[in-house]
Amino acid sequence: MSPRQTKTSKGVEQEQLIEWLEHLKLRTIQTHLDALCERAAKSKMSYREFLYHALEREIEDKEIRRLAMGERLAKFPFERTLQDYDFEAQPGVEQARIRELSQCRWLAHGENILLLGPPGVGKTHLAVGLGREAIKRGHRVSFRSAVNLLSELEQAHQKGELERKLKELSKPSVLIVDELGYLPFAKEASYLFFQLITRRYEKGSVILTSNRAVREWGEVFGDAVVATAILDRVLHHSHVLMIRGESYRLREKRKSGLMQSALTSTITSTTPS
Ligand code: ADP
Ligand code: MG
């Protein structure tokens, strides 16, 4: 007797079904098969409705898993979305412009985004949020702080593996380089960065965040010629957002301070003497 025949037909079907669902990588239907079937039976769905409902769940979950995987690969420093960004708190950022950029048309044309402004205004938050929108649309995104990126390039250069590193960093559709200008680059490092920018020029997009104005980039790169060459390529097809405003964290602190004093004065004025 074959092992198949030792089981009831329902048991065999169930086992085979699970195997097929696994083979087809329909993980949500596989995990929730009993619940999905029970629900269908209870609500007297048609066969077509059941299939629709089960596949809808699978596709929704697949999308969530794909996004999570893309975010892990991107190595974002924190989880932030454009929906989390408080535009009222930062009138220096035009919501309509961010909404337009969230459509990722800039990406299709290999355009760049520069987010410039003082610390705490949400440059990294917006860069991560825009990166997330790109992942949602099926693009590969990679996040690096400028300091880490440069040390990666320098190490690769020292090991004679610069070409391989440049290739690797040219692959993602969007490369986010965060905090350019917090530390000035040595001349050699600036030239490595220049090579990377040249490699990606008009092929892949770059999102750069910096607390330094573009006119100060000569100082950042320690060499006016290299800085001009970098700027030339970065700015050629670019969206520049200058965020002038107060640090969000400081604003929150100040607000809670104000609320504290408002509270104290209310208590004092209503306390009978
Ligand atoms: P920056 O990169 O400009 O120095 P960040 O993006 O790191 O600033 O922002 C600092 C913190 O404040 C982060 O936790 C970020 O999510 C938050 N933040 C900044 N601006 C806003 C805002 N307008 N709405 C919501 N959170 C904000
Ligand atoms: Mg930042």
Side-chain angles (χ1 to χ4, degrees):
M1 221 190 250
S2 77
R4 259 175 172 255
Q5 285 165 315
T6 59
K7 300 231 162 92
T8 62
S9 86
K10 187 164 182 286
V12 171
E13 270 175 22
Q14 177 78 0
E15 237 173 59
Q16 185 64 74
L17 201 51
I18 295 289
E19 219 177 290
W20 282 340
L21 288 169
E22 180 150 1
H23 180 69
L24 292 171
K25 297 192 172 63
L26 299 173
R27 274 165 44 192
T28 299
I29 301 182
Q30 187 192 346
T31 312
H32 302 288
L33 184 62
D34 289 345
L36 284 165
C37 292
E38 266 166 40
R39 207 186 134 196
K42 254 191 212 145
S43 59
K44 299 197 175 67
M45 278 181 201
S46 68
Y47 298 128
R48 195 179 288 267
E49 277 168 346
F50 167 69
L51 192 60
Y52 181 93
H53 179 69
L55 290 178
E56 188 184 37
R57 281 279 311 267
E58 184 67 52
I59 285 171
E60 274 169 12
D61 283 7
K62 253 199 167 69
E63 207 40 37
I64 292 169
R65 288 196 295 267
R66 195 185 61 76
L67 185 57
M69 171 64 88
E71 286 186 292
R72 261 202 306 283
L73 287 175
K75 297 202 170 75
F76 291 144
F78 47 43
E79 274 182 36
R80 294 289 187 282
T81 69
L82 295 180
Q83 290 73 38
D84 297 337
Y85 195 79
D86 181 351
F87 289 91
E88 272 177 29
Q90 198 56 267
V93 180
E94 227 183 295
Q95 187 168 9
R97 199 149 177 226
I98 298 294
R99 201 179 303 125
E100 167 61 26
L101 291 174
S102 75
Q103 302 298 312
C104 295
R105 278 188 272 269
W106 50 280
L107 209 162
H109 304 121
E111 294 162 1
N112 304 316
I113 298 179
L114 267 77
L115 296 159
L116 307 174
V121 293
K123 300 183 296 296
T124 306
H125 184 140
L126 290 170
V128 167
L130 288 167
R132 195 169 183 269
E133 293 301 319
I135 295 171
K136 269 199 211 165
R137 285 169 169 74
H139 298 285
R140 242 185 80 189
V141 177
S142 200
F143 183 104
R144 299 281 199 292
S145 73
V147 172
N148 286 350
L149 175 71
L150 258 298
S151 83
E152 253 180 73
L153 285 170
E154 276 170 337
Q155 277 178 29
H157 183 49
Q158 277 158 18
K159 286 192 210 151
E161 295 171 355
L162 182 63
E163 185 51 38
R164 189 189 56 75
K165 185 50 86 183
L166 288 173
K167 254 194 198 138
E168 177 196 319
L169 291 167
S170 304
K171 272 190 192 141
S173 314
V174 184
L175 178 68
I176 302 177
V177 184
D178 195 33
E179 298 191 343
L180 194 80
Y182 273 91
L183 287 176
F185 292 172
K187 204 170 166 180
E188 167 116 320
S190 296
Y191 186 63
L192 293 174
F193 186 68
F194 164 74
Q195 289 184 67
L196 174 62
I197 293 296
T198 304
R199 198 55 87 87
R200 293 189 60 91
Y201 181 57
E202 288 185 332
K203 285 193 222 90
S205 295
V206 179
I207 300 181
L208 283 174
T209 82
S210 180
N211 62 334
R212 308 284 295 263
V214 164
R215 71 185 126 74
E216 296 170 350
W217 283 23
E219 277 169 48
V220 172
F221 293 109
D223 183 307
V225 178
V226 176
T228 310
I230 291 171
L231 271 172
D232 193 47
R233 283 156 181 78
V234 170
L235 291 177
H236 187 197
H237 307 288
S238 67
H239 304 266
V240 183
L241 281 88
M242 305 269 289
I243 312 173
R244 289 186 195 87
E246 194 183 2
S247 155
Y248 185 75
R249 281 203 208 99
L250 288 183
R251 179 186 182 274
E252 292 298 293
K253 278 210 181 98
R254 186 174 55 78
K255 257 177 62 187
S256 67
L258 273 179
M259 277 159 70
Q260 200 69 42
S261 55
L263 203 67
T264 321
S265 66
T266 320
I267 292 169
T268 328
S269 62
T270 51
T271 309
S273 50

